[in-house]
Amino acid sequence: MPVIRHFGFDRGEAFHRAAAAWVEGGSVAAKPRLAATVLLVRDGAAGPEVFVQQRAATMAFAPSMVVFPGGRVDPTDADAGLPEAEVREVADLMGVEAERAWPLVAAAVREVEEECGVRLAPGVLVPRGRWLTPKLEPRRYDTWFFAARMPDDQVAKGTTSETTAERWGHPVELLRLGESGELRLMPPTMFMLEALARFDAVEAYLTDRPSVALVEPILVEGPDGYALETTLP
């Protein structure tokens, strides 16, 4: 059964000013671009851990936010040389045709290598969700979230100027730091961390098959100001 969550009443004056300005300006929404992001996971002493990075404060989209490696789909991703059988396997899990999945899978693999130096085989990607950036944001993305086991013979590190810090963390601890304000987390990141925290081992997490229905947070106004109303699958 879908669950409705609200994010935003406590996001600060900047969020509320931006929301008010968007509403007063006619509520014109930008066209979203396709994007892909990947939760690299490994087994830790207290359960699954995930690799996260902090975006640079100078970034136009989500500055200083703690995120998973990923980014927008580039035009060249549609022509990336990938094993067709592996792409078709991922496409089946996504519930889309291979042609539609191809650039998203290519972007996921490319971005992980560019941002943290980890090379993944396309076939290891497991879809975990799909989120659309709220309409009030000037930059919007239709983002597919994938998960993949961290290869034992590689090391994840910061290899891009778009991020300033990186770490492995247990999802419960990362959520606690987000709640306290020590880390800045976006709603989809929080939701993905909450889902990961329900598992005791990476194998169980990667064999789980969640709904990948599109999630689109909607701006609503309440007695405490504006918030994002989000219907979760």
Side-chain angles (χ1 to χ4, degrees):
M1 179 178 296
V3 175
I4 295 178
R5 291 271 297 275
H6 289 85
F7 303 92
F9 286 128
D10 57 351
R11 290 182 66 181
E13 286 301 316
F15 169 77
H16 293 289
R17 286 198 301 270
W22 182 74
V23 172
E24 293 168 3
S27 305
V28 178
K31 182 179 180 180
R33 299 185 62 176
L34 285 174
T37 189
V38 179
L39 284 78
L40 283 176
V41 292
R42 69 182 186 186
D43 285 308
E49 298 175 342
V50 63
F51 184 76
V52 294
Q53 298 176 304
Q54 183 172 359
R55 288 174 61 82
T58 54
M59 296 299 293
F61 180 77
S64 301
M65 291 289 183
V66 171
V67 298
F68 312 115
R72 67 174 180 258
V73 172
D74 288 344
T76 56
D77 288 325
D79 300 318
L82 302 175
E84 184 176 349
E86 294 188 34
V87 175
R88 290 192 179 281
E89 289 179 4
V90 179
D92 287 344
L93 295 177
M94 295 169 67
V96 302
E97 296 181 350
E99 292 74 14
R100 182 180 172 192
W102 200 287
L104 288 157
V105 172
V109 172
R110 174 181 55 76
E111 287 285 343
V112 167
E113 184 170 5
E114 290 178 356
E115 295 200 344
C116 58
V118 175
R119 187 169 298 178
L120 296 174
V124 304
L125 297 173
V126 177
R128 292 295 311 183
R130 181 185 173 198
W131 284 63
L132 187 61
T133 308
K135 291 180 179 178
L136 76 158
E137 295 287 351
R139 288 177 172 80
R140 302 181 65 219
Y141 298 95
D142 180 349
T143 304
W144 282 80
F145 286 77
F146 299 93
R149 185 188 296 273
M150 175 66 195
D152 292 334
D153 59 346
Q154 299 187 53
V155 176
K157 53 190 176 181
T159 56
T160 173
S161 60
E162 295 181 359
T163 62
T164 57
E166 56 279 334
R167 62 181 291 178
W168 285 93
H170 188 276
V172 172
E173 176 65 7
L174 294 172
L175 287 166
R176 184 191 67 80
L177 293 172
E179 181 70 21
S180 69
E182 295 177 65
L183 297 180
R184 298 185 63 196
L185 303 174
M186 293 185 288
T189 306
M190 295 167 58
F191 179 70
M192 294 297 155
L193 290 173
E194 290 170 353
L196 178 59
R198 293 196 289 268
F199 294 87
D200 296 326
V202 166
E203 183 64 24
Y205 173 66
L206 292 178
T207 54
D208 178 56
R209 296 293 178 261
S211 170
V212 288
L214 180 64
V215 176
E216 181 181 0
I218 305 298
L219 186 69
V220 296
E221 186 175 11
D224 298 317
Y226 288 100
L228 297 173
E229 182 176 279
T230 310
T231 302
L232 303 174

